Amino acid sequence: MSQADVPQPGVERRAQEPLGPYVVEDQVGFLLRRAHQRHAAIFLETMARHDLTPTQFTALIKTVELGRVTQNLLGRLVAMDPATIQGVVRRLVDRALIARALDPMDRRTTVLIPTDAGFALAAKAVVAARAITAATLAPLDPEERTQLTALLRKLG
Amino acid sequence: MSQADVPQPGVERRAQEPLGPYVVEDQVGFLLRRAHQRHAAIFLETMARHDLTPTQFTALIKTVELGRVTQNLLGRLVAMDPATIQGVVRRLVDRALIARALDPMDRRTTVLIPTDAGFALAAKAVVAARAITAATLAPLDPEERTQLTALLRKLG
DNA sequence: GGGGGGTCATTCGTGTGCAAATGATCCGGT
DNA sequence: ACCGGATCATTTGCACACGAATGACCCCCC
């Protein structure tokens, strides 16, 4: 590193950066990406024996919870756009965790219904999911966990 | 909704769900995914005229900041694994925002150096990036913004 | 009772994200 | 001088994620 690469901080630079230095690592976007990655890693490892990804788990749980949903509605409920939910549902259907049914009232839609295997796996997966949430929040003390959850919910 | 679908809370269920009900929408993982998606949407829209994705922006900024980095090291610094950083860097090189150089000391590595165009774009993109952070945090009041950032950083 | 605007599901293209495998290269220890 | 473990970059395969386009279908309003 030459001297030119390490200028004295806060002298001439201030004029060009009136709002202070921009540190990528401190931006919400970067921190959100990191946190999401870490959670995904914990999820994948903990849920490995059930072979469910975070999105597959979420879609399955929601389908079991509702008993019967339209694919697009399911997508809206779990924050996945139609193109994404399509692939997620396809994989769950391929594994016979949920089934497609026809809606005589609306021939555009396919109704999704969990299978017995889907119910059974969902029950077991929820146990793992509780551990995943706990492991993800492990670095925080109880009060901070509540705060973080509240702030993220407020973030929309 | 039938009566059977809305049981009185906290009676028989407690025996089977000793830790309380599992609401997927309240789990950190779900909230992190939602928040990350929302940020990505804001980023894409605000950064549209510069045509940079969040990861491309981060990699470019970091390269400009360092002036000269190895690809794998860059990846570690911005939390992208070698397979991911490879594609990100390739797109930046294709657009002539950064250049590859040979390292005579280590023939395995390719050294990355920002081009003049890369410097120029980075300077303009940082302005947009400040707005993106602000827009992402808009739903929170100033104190909450500091809290959220601190909690996410602590999350690792 | 037809027509037009909206919705549903799907497909395509592009961009992350990671595990795993590969080939080239480096380096420490013998 | 060499060899074996480690690192670098790349590729492949799979799974989100979304914009845009498409074809089928719904429903309301004229």
Side-chain angles (χ1 to χ4, degrees):
Chain A
M1 292 204 196
S2 68
Q3 291 176 342
D5 295 327
V6 189
Q8 300 304 316
V11 187
E12 298 94 337
R13 296 192 82 92
R14 278 290 163 76
Q16 298 170 357
E17 295 175 356
L19 300 174
Y22 183 85
V23 183
V24 191
E25 294 89 342
D26 291 344
Q27 308 300 310
V28 226
F30 183 84
L31 294 171
L32 280 173
R33 185 169 60 86
R34 299 250 302 122
H36 183 246
Q37 281 176 13
R38 175 167 166 276
H39 171 264
I42 292 171
F43 193 106
L44 264 284
E45 186 187 339
T46 308
M47 199 63 89
R49 63 200 174 95
H50 299 314
D51 197 28
L52 286 175
T53 64
T55 58
Q56 287 167 14
F57 168 76
T58 304
L60 175 60
I61 289 295
K62 204 68 192 173
T63 304
V64 165
E65 195 180 311
L66 299 176
R68 174 187 175 82
V69 221
T70 274
Q71 183 170 299
N72 273 23
L73 175 58
L74 175 61
R76 280 194 295 272
L77 293 174
V78 297
M80 303 179 202
D81 78 7
T84 300
I85 197 70
Q86 195 274 337
V88 175
V89 164
R90 179 171 47 75
R91 287 173 203 103
L92 293 175
V93 169
D94 286 349
R95 289 171 60 185
L97 297 173
I98 63 181
R100 297 186 206 269
L102 294 180
D103 183 349
M105 293 293 90
D106 188 342
R107 282 189 293 168
R108 292 170 304 174
T109 73
T110 45
V111 177
L112 305 175
I113 300 173
T115 64
D116 289 347
F119 269 107
L121 183 56
K124 282 187 282 189
V126 167
V127 178
R130 291 186 199 276
I132 289 164
T133 293
T136 301
L137 292 175
L140 306 181
D141 58 48
E143 192 193 352
E144 291 174 327
R145 294 171 200 174
T146 313
Q147 276 182 15
L148 178 63
T149 304
L151 290 173
L152 286 175
R153 202 175 356 238
K154 201 167 176 181
L155 212 55
Chain B
M1 291 202 197
S2 70
Q3 291 176 344
D5 294 328
V6 190
Q8 299 304 316
V11 187
E12 297 94 337
R13 296 192 81 92
R14 279 288 162 78
Q16 297 170 356
E17 295 176 356
L19 301 174
Y22 182 86
V23 181
V24 80
E25 293 91 342
D26 290 344
Q27 308 301 309
V28 225
F30 183 85
L31 295 171
L32 280 174
R33 185 168 61 86
R34 299 256 296 128
H36 182 247
Q37 282 176 13
R38 175 167 167 278
H39 171 263
I42 292 171
F43 194 106
L44 264 284
E45 186 187 340
T46 308
M47 200 62 90
R49 63 201 174 95
H50 299 313
D51 197 28
L52 286 175
T53 64
T55 60
Q56 288 168 12
F57 168 77
T58 304
L60 174 61
I61 288 295
K62 204 67 190 173
T63 305
V64 166
E65 194 179 311
L66 299 176
R68 175 187 173 82
V69 222
T70 275
Q71 183 170 299
N72 273 23
L73 175 57
L74 175 61
R76 280 194 296 273
L77 293 174
V78 297
M80 303 180 203
D81 78 7
T84 300
I85 197 71
Q86 195 275 336
V88 176
V89 165
R90 179 171 48 72
R91 286 173 203 106
L92 293 175
V93 170
D94 286 350
R95 288 171 61 186
L97 296 173
I98 63 181
R100 297 186 206 270
L102 294 179
D103 183 348
M105 293 293 89
D106 188 342
R107 282 188 295 168
R108 293 170 304 176
T109 72
T110 44
V111 177
L112 304 175
I113 300 174
T115 63
D116 289 347
F119 269 106
L121 183 56
K124 282 187 282 187
V126 167
V127 177
R130 291 186 199 276
I132 289 164
T133 294
T136 301
L137 292 174
L140 306 180
D141 57 49
E143 191 193 352
E144 291 173 327
R145 293 172 200 175
T146 313
Q147 278 183 14
L148 178 63
T149 303
L151 290 173
L152 286 175
R153 199 170 4 234
K154 200 167 175 181
L155 211 56

